[in-house]
């Protein structure tokens, strides 16, 4: 098998640098592909010949495969122009050691992109269900906090801990387990994690001690974490969302489902607890997870390289899996490395984490405010989240309007001229949301007191939900426009940061309100969001300079102009991926 000379030159040049091993482990640079035949403009027989040559050249040595972007990410040097899948090493070897792949994936009936529409719709509905179930696991516990406090004779702060451990488990699980789907297949990860998640959810509901509840909740979240990221990958397996309208519709639906789960959970949780008791919040969660488990056994494999590996195993061909452990370590190491060396990744992830943390703090602060000041029942407290849902839905038309007025005209010009649109044009919604978010918190802080009608603090939720969606939509799209070749690592970094940071806020919120009072505690939280106001504005003003300071963004320019435009057209789906 031949070795790419560009990789040899890069490796030899980098060998003199002290940080070469760390950089190579966490960031495998793609080779120079400016003359790669898969990107030449060819027609007829020549195009098929270049495609076959590109597929045959995919069989590199183990060292070279490790020095290229991971198969879980959209690789510019391996993108197959025929079917939209990355031309990844499937691990299928013939007697002479060369990789064997179908001549054309367009005609392969096992290619998920050409399955029937009904089959693909069913798969995407399963993805929406799994994302909803994974997300609602945190807020559905909220109504169980007061009964657990009295039953186990523990402090309120201690009863809040299981809510935080579940969210923390999602962040860790998404980082550690998601990449297993690249080696074991998508359905198998579901089939392994869902039964265990049901088991630990049932254990939590049957527990007689708070520590056991906390541990079982962490393990449930840890096992549910990969569903969100793998689900986004499945949608990309079966649809080209940049070109297919139904795929784009499901991507948007995935986003809406994830957002609504965080806000519907506090509404339904008190209803369950009031009618059936606190343990039923666990039983309902276990039933939802069991539904995902049943669906996973009907879920077909959608990861095309894994499909080819299975076909080879059935036919008796050799299947190579010798480097999956290193691939898994790279998937974990690169997101952490990107947060350290990329000046855009950590600030954007932190802003998303703070925005999500406000939602998590509301799970506690709303209950303390409306029960103590306005004597609401738990059921009525749950209803106060409805304005947040309304505000979230109101933000979607505004984002669409801004996109049509600002980005789409520039994109049309870029397509005509063979250029690209600066990623900073995606930031306008976040620039608005950076101001409206602290306003909503100041509104809540100083309207939630005796002598002021309860409708005043409740109405602040409309503005908060509006701001929440503005930030959560535009920033992930912006980062993916910058790092299209490393979108999976950006996704993992964002998910890990959001859930590990926001998991702590319910605990902080209770302590702040007890120490400072509700108004000043919410004011402190508002000032934290004020400190985040400059982030999207700095990106908008100095984004090009910051991007040049990074180590990964330069690979965005490896893609030919035609491909860059296509990545930008498909970034709506990447927003769905970041809720993973």
């Amino acid at each position: 098998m031949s070795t790419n000379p560009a990789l040899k030159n890069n490796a030899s040049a980098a060998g003199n640098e002290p940080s070469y091993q760390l950089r190579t482990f966490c960031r495998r640079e793609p080779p120079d592909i400016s003359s790669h035949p898969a990107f030449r403009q060819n027609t007829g027989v020549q195009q098929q010949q270049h495609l076959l040559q590109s597929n045959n050249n995919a069989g590199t040595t183990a060292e070279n495969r490790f020095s290229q972007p991971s198969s879980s990410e959209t690789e510019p040097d391996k993108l197959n122009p025929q079917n939209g899948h990355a031309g990844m090493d499937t691990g299928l070897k013939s007697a002479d050691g060369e990789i064997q792949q179908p001549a054309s994936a367009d005609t392969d009936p096992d290619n998920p992109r050409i399955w029937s529409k009904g089959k693909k719709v069913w798969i995407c509905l399963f993805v929406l269900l799994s994302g909803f179930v994974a997300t609602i696991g945190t807020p559905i516990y909220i109504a169980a906090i007061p009964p657990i406090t009295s039953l186990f004779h523990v402090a309120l702060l201690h009863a809040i801990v299981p809510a935080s451990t579940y969210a923390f488990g999602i962040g860790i699980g998404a980082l550690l387990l998601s990449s297993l789907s690249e080696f074991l297949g998508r359905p198998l990860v579901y089939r392994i994690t869902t039964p265990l998640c049901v088991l630990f959810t049932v254990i939590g509901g049957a527990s007689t001690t708070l520590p056991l509840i906390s541990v079982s909740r962490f393990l449930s979240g840890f096992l549910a974490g990969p569903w969100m990221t793998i689900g986004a990958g499945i949608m990309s397996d079966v649809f080209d969302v940049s070109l297919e309208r139904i795929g784009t519709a499901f991507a948007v639906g995935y986003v809406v489902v994830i957002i609504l789960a965080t806000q519907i959970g506090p509404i339904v949780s008190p209803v369950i607890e009031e009618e059936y008791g606190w343990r039923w919040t666990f039983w309902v969660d276990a039933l939802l997870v069991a539904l995902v488990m049943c669906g996973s056994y009907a879920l077909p494999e959608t990861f095309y390289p894994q499909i080819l590996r299975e076909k080879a195993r059935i036919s008796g061909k050799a299947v190579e899996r010798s480097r999956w452990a290193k691939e898994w370590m790279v998937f974990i190491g690169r997101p952490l490395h990107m947060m350290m060396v990329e000046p855009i990744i950590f600030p954007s992830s932190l802003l998303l984490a703070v925005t999500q943390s406000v939602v998590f703090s509301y799970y506690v602060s709303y209950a303390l405010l409306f029960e103590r000041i306005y004597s609401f029942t738990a059921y009525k407290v749950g209803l106060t989240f409805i304005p947040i849902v309304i505000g979230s839905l109101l933000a979607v038309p505004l984002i669409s309007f801004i996109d049509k007025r600002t980005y789409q005209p520039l994109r049309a010009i870029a397509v005509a001229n063979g250029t690209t649109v600066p990623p900073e044009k995606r930031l306008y919604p976040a620039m608005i949301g950076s101001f409206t978010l602290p306003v909503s918190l100041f509104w809540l802080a100083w309207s939630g007191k005796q002598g002021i009608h309860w409708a005043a603090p409740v109405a602040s939720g409309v503005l908060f939900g509006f701001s929440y969606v503005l930030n959560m939509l535009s920033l992930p799209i912006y980062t993916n426009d910058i790092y299209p070749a490393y979108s999976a690592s950006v996704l993992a970094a964002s998910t890990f940061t959001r859930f590990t940071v926001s998991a702590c806020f319910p605990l902080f919120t209770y302590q702040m309100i007890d120490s400072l009072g509700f108004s000043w505690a919410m004011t402190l939280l508002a000032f934290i969001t004020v400190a985040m106001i400059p982030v999207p504005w700095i990106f908008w003003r100095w984004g090009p300079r910051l991007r040049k300071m990074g180590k990964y963004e330069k690979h965005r320019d490896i893609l030919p102009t035609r491909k860059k435009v296509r990545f930008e057209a498909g970034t709506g789906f990447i927003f769905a991926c970041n809720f993973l």
Side-chain angles (χ1 to χ4, degrees), residues 447-509:
S447 64
K449 57 176 59 179
Q450 290 180 347
I452 299 179
H453 195 273
W454 57 265
V458 168
S460 69
V462 176
L463 184 60
F464 169 74
F466 179 81
S467 309
Y468 175 75
V469 174
L470 291 181
N471 285 338
M472 287 293 192
L473 265 169
S474 61
L475 283 172
I477 295 176
Y478 169 66
T479 55
N480 188 78
D481 274 6
I482 300 173
Y483 309 100
Y486 297 100
S487 58
S489 293
V490 174
L491 163 62
S494 174
T495 304
F496 174 75
T497 305
R498 284 192 294 116
F499 279 95
T500 53
V501 172
S502 60
C504 305
F505 268 69
L507 304 175
F508 293 163
T509 302

Side-chain angles (χ1 to χ4, degrees), residues 55-94:
N55 286 335
N56 290 334
N57 288 340
T60 57
T61 63
E63 178 181 357
N64 287 342
R65 284 199 306 272
F66 189 61
S67 64
Q68 296 173 357
S70 67
S71 61
S72 61
E73 302 178 85
T74 306
E75 305 176 20
D77 56 313
K78 293 184 178 182
L79 191 65
N80 187 329
Q82 290 286 336
N83 57 18
H85 284 284
M88 294 173 295
D89 183 354
T90 61
L92 310 184
K93 303 285 184 178
S94 64

Side-chain angles (χ1 to χ4, degrees), residues 454-570:
W454 57 265
V458 168
S460 69
V462 176
L463 184 60
F464 169 74
F466 179 81
S467 309
Y468 175 75
V469 174
L470 291 181
N471 285 338
M472 287 293 192
L473 265 169
S474 61
L475 283 172
I477 295 176
Y478 169 66
T479 55
N480 188 78
D481 274 6
I482 300 173
Y483 309 100
Y486 297 100
S487 58
S489 293
V490 174
L491 163 62
S494 174
T495 304
F496 174 75
T497 305
R498 284 192 294 116
F499 279 95
T500 53
V501 172
S502 60
C504 305
F505 268 69
L507 304 175
F508 293 163
T509 302
Y510 172 75
Q511 292 179 319
M512 287 192 302
I513 292 176
D514 262 12
S515 301
L516 305 176
F518 179 83
S519 295
W520 283 108
M522 290 295 101
T523 299
L524 178 60
L525 188 58
F527 277 120
I528 294 176
T529 61
V530 168
M532 305 304 296
I533 289 177
V535 173
W537 293 86
I538 290 175
F539 289 164
W540 183 76
R541 178 62 180 85
W542 291 287
R545 184 180 303 178
L546 294 173
R547 288 190 274 116
K548 290 180 180 179
M549 295 169 57
K551 307 296 182 182
Y552 292 80
E553 192 269 344
K554 63 181 180 179
H555 301 314
R556 179 174 181 265
D557 297 329
I558 292 179
L559 294 171
T561 300
R562 177 172 61 86
K563 293 297 177 183
K564 282 197 275 191
V565 171
R566 181 178 178 184
F567 271 112
E568 291 168 0

Side-chain angles (χ1 to χ4, degrees), residues 27 336-344 549-552:
R27 175 175 58 84
L336 302 177
H337 185 246
M338 290 185 76
M339 285 196 291
M340 291 187 292
V341 303
E342 291 297 315
I344 288 176
M549 295 169 57
K551 307 296 182 182
Y552 292 80

Side-chain angles (χ1 to χ4, degrees), residues 11-232:
S12 61
N16 298 326
E17 301 179 15
S19 60
Y20 168 67
Q21 292 183 347
L22 175 61
R23 191 183 72 254
T24 302
F25 183 77
C26 296
R27 175 175 58 84
R28 294 173 294 171
E29 301 182 5
D32 180 10
I33 60 166
S34 57
S35 60
H36 197 286
F39 294 112
R40 294 176 183 168
Q41 295 184 357
N42 299 289
T43 58
V45 178
Q46 286 183 327
Q47 187 178 23
Q48 284 292 336
Q49 291 175 345
H50 286 305
L51 174 62
L52 292 175
Q53 181 181 353
S54 175
N55 286 335
N56 290 334
N57 288 340
T60 57
T61 63
E63 178 181 357
N64 287 342
R65 284 199 306 272
F66 189 61
S67 64
Q68 296 173 357
S70 67
S71 61
S72 61
E73 302 178 85
T74 306
E75 305 176 20
D77 56 313
K78 293 184 178 182
L79 191 65
N80 187 329
Q82 290 286 336
N83 57 18
H85 284 284
M88 294 173 295
D89 183 354
T90 61
L92 310 184
K93 303 285 184 178
S94 64
D96 58 0
E98 294 298 325
I99 292 177
Q100 304 296 310
Q101 295 188 1
S104 175
D106 277 344
T107 59
D108 185 359
D110 292 318
N111 181 1
R113 289 282 178 89
I114 62 174
W115 287 349
S116 67
K117 182 181 296 185
K119 186 176 183 179
K120 295 194 288 186
V121 166
W122 140 246
I123 292 172
C124 290
L125 289 176
F126 171 82
V127 169
L128 266 61
L129 173 65
S130 62
F132 178 85
V133 173
T135 307
I136 204 172
T138 298
I140 203 172
Y141 168 81
I142 298 303
I145 293 176
I148 287 177
T149 301
S150 58
L151 178 63
F152 297 136
H153 306 289
V154 296
L156 182 61
L157 177 63
H158 297 160
I160 296 173
V161 169
S164 296
T165 56
Y166 181 89
F168 187 73
I170 287 182
I172 301 297
L175 181 66
L176 298 182
L177 300 182
S178 297
S179 61
L180 293 179
S181 68
E182 309 289 340
F183 318 110
L184 304 179
R186 314 289 199 198
L188 186 58
V189 175
Y190 281 102
R191 294 167 190 172
I192 293 174
T193 57
T194 50
L196 293 174
C197 188
V198 172
L199 174 63
F200 288 115
T201 303
V202 171
I203 290 175
S207 299
T208 56
T209 62
L210 184 61
L212 183 57
I213 294 177
S214 300
V215 172
S216 63
R217 290 280 295 171
F218 170 79
L219 294 175
S220 298
F222 178 79
L223 294 165
W227 305 349
M228 304 173 74
T229 50
I230 294 175

Side-chain angles (χ1 to χ4, degrees), residues 251-487:
V252 174
Y254 188 64
V255 174
V256 172
V257 163
I258 296 298
I259 292 177
L260 292 182
T262 63
Q263 301 163 1
I264 292 176
I267 298 174
V268 301
S269 179
V271 177
I272 297 172
E273 192 279 328
E274 187 174 309
E275 295 292 332
Y276 304 104
W278 69 270
R279 293 188 188 274
W280 269 93
T281 60
F282 288 84
W283 306 149
V284 171
D285 194 21
L287 290 173
L288 291 174
V289 176
L291 186 60
V292 176
M293 178 182 67
C294 294
S296 69
Y297 286 96
L299 179 70
E301 179 59 65
T302 63
F303 190 49
Y304 193 45
Q306 178 66 17
I307 293 175
L308 297 180
R309 287 194 290 259
E310 290 299 326
K311 289 174 64 177
R313 182 181 294 107
I314 294 174
S315 61
K317 295 181 181 179
V319 179
E320 177 186 347
R321 291 183 179 272
S322 58
R323 302 190 65 82
W324 73 269
K326 285 191 174 182
E327 293 281 348
W328 181 60
M329 291 299 296
V330 168
F331 191 91
I332 298 172
R334 189 188 293 124
L336 302 177
H337 185 246
M338 290 185 76
M339 285 196 291
M340 291 187 292
V341 303
E342 291 297 315
I344 288 176
I345 295 299
F346 180 73
S348 61
S349 298
L350 184 61
L351 177 55
L352 294 173
V354 170
T355 304
Q356 180 171 293
S357 297
V358 176
V359 179
F360 280 44
S361 70
Y362 277 17
Y363 296 156
V364 176
S365 61
Y366 264 39
L368 296 178
L369 169 65
F370 292 107
E371 289 180 0
R372 291 179 179 180
I373 303 299
Y374 298 104
S375 302
F376 278 20
T377 63
Y379 175 76
K380 292 181 178 179
V381 171
L383 295 179
T384 59
F385 282 84
I386 293 178
I388 300 179
V389 177
I390 295 174
S392 299
L393 297 177
L394 291 176
V396 176
L398 176 64
I399 294 174
S400 177
F401 175 80
I402 293 175
D403 182 70
K404 290 180 179 178
R405 292 286 184 175
T406 60
Y407 186 83
Q408 293 303 326
L410 295 176
R411 179 182 175 274
I413 297 174
V415 172
N417 297 336
T419 59
T420 58
V421 182
E424 286 70 30
K425 299 300 180 181
R426 298 285 198 180
L427 290 171
Y428 293 117
M431 293 162 69
I432 298 173
S434 65
F435 283 103
T436 56
L437 180 61
V439 170
S440 68
L441 288 170
F442 284 121
W443 180 352
L444 174 65
W446 297 103
S447 64
K449 57 176 59 179
Q450 290 180 347
I452 299 179
H453 195 273
W454 57 265
V458 168
S460 69
V462 176
L463 184 60
F464 169 74
F466 179 81
S467 309
Y468 175 75
V469 174
L470 291 181
N471 285 338
M472 287 293 192
L473 265 169
S474 61
L475 283 172
I477 295 176
Y478 169 66
T479 55
N480 188 78
D481 274 6
I482 300 173
Y483 309 100
Y486 297 100
S487 58

